[in-house]
Amino acid sequence: MNVRTLSPLDRLLERCERALEAIAGMPMATRPSPANGIAEAELDDAERRHAAGLMRVNHTGEVCAQALYVGQAALARDETNRAHLLHAAAEETDHLAWCAQRLLQLHSRPSLLNPLWYAGSYAIGAAAALVGDPVSLGFVVETEHQVEAHLAEHLEKLPAADERSRAVLTRMQADEIRHADAAQQRGGIALRFPLPQLMHASSMVMKTVAYRL
């Protein structure tokens, strides 16, 4: 059986398709949403808006994750690392779809600035890959550790009755831990000061803005 090798144009078109799907589309999840089978809670308007704001932040985070992984994969030097990054991106697509669905259920919308978040994250991912695969994978480890902590914070901030959002974030958190462990096992190195601090600061800006916009 012949396996077709993608040309540079094919890869570019594939990356454009992923970007459009992440920013403006409704991606298809390969796994069912963890919220399936859980009854919708009766939230008052303030609780619903708060839950929607948190889920909008998480949706934007998954848009950034898509861009980061695709940017890293585009310039990865090792084919097995490229395949690993694209596999992780596919799992992040599930997260993106689950968050998009939850936003609809909460009668809300994604961040209006998702194109900006995507472009910035893609550039960061590509820059990390240019330095080399160990740094690129280390970037994944640090990102996932920060996302894990962020999800733990959101699990505490969700309205107590919103079990559907809680189920989605709990599954996402487990996946992020697994992604960090896998990247570390593949040779990801610890990032030096001030990179983790800069990543945290930029994440705080994104979370503050995406909650409202």
Side-chain angles (χ1 to χ4, degrees):
M1 179 179 177
N2 292 327
V3 178
R4 183 186 173 212
T5 301
L6 295 180
S7 69
L9 178 59
D10 290 330
R11 292 184 186 277
L12 175 61
L13 292 174
E14 181 183 35
R15 291 195 290 270
C16 289
E17 182 181 5
R18 282 179 178 269
L20 288 172
E21 184 179 71
I23 294 169
M26 184 69 174
M28 297 294 294
T30 59
R31 295 175 291 171
S33 171
N36 290 354
I38 300 176
E40 188 68 70
E42 292 187 10
L43 304 176
D44 61 32
D45 285 346
E47 289 175 326
R48 182 188 59 77
R49 286 195 299 271
H50 179 55
L54 295 177
M55 293 309 293
R56 181 162 45 252
V57 169
N58 290 305
H59 181 271
T60 294
E62 296 307 323
V63 169
C64 293
Q66 283 289 307
L68 186 69
Y69 280 129
V70 172
Q72 289 174 292
L75 298 178
R77 300 177 187 180
D78 182 86
E79 284 298 327
T80 59
N81 284 337
R82 176 180 285 111
H84 165 76
L85 289 163
L86 292 176
H87 175 73
E91 288 199 344
E92 299 287 354
T93 300
D94 287 349
H95 299 175
L96 187 65
W98 298 342
C99 289
Q101 182 185 50
R102 191 68 193 122
L103 280 170
L104 286 175
Q105 293 165 347
L106 291 166
H107 310 295
S108 193
R109 52 154 179 80
S111 171
L112 299 175
L113 300 179
N114 275 346
L116 176 63
W117 306 130
Y118 191 98
S121 297
Y122 185 95
I124 291 170
L130 281 174
V131 178
D133 284 1
V135 171
S136 182
L137 291 168
F139 204 91
V140 172
V141 175
E142 180 62 33
T143 298
E144 299 293 20
H145 283 164
Q146 293 194 15
V147 171
E148 177 194 347
H150 147 79
L151 289 171
E153 177 187 341
H154 275 202
L155 284 166
E156 292 183 1
K157 289 184 175 181
L158 278 172
D162 189 4
E163 292 298 333
R164 301 194 82 180
S165 296
R166 194 176 312 281
V168 169
L169 298 191
T170 299
R171 177 70 63 81
M172 287 169 55
Q173 187 180 42
D175 287 346
E176 308 300 4
I177 292 171
R178 184 161 46 79
H179 292 165
D181 290 344
Q184 196 162 37
Q185 290 170 9
R186 295 191 69 85
I189 62 175
L191 301 184
R192 296 182 179 181
F193 176 87
L195 281 177
Q197 292 75 17
L198 290 173
M199 291 166 65
H200 178 72
S202 63
S203 173
M204 291 300 295
V205 171
M206 181 275 287
K207 288 191 288 185
T208 301
V209 175
Y211 182 86
R212 295 170 175 79
L213 297 176

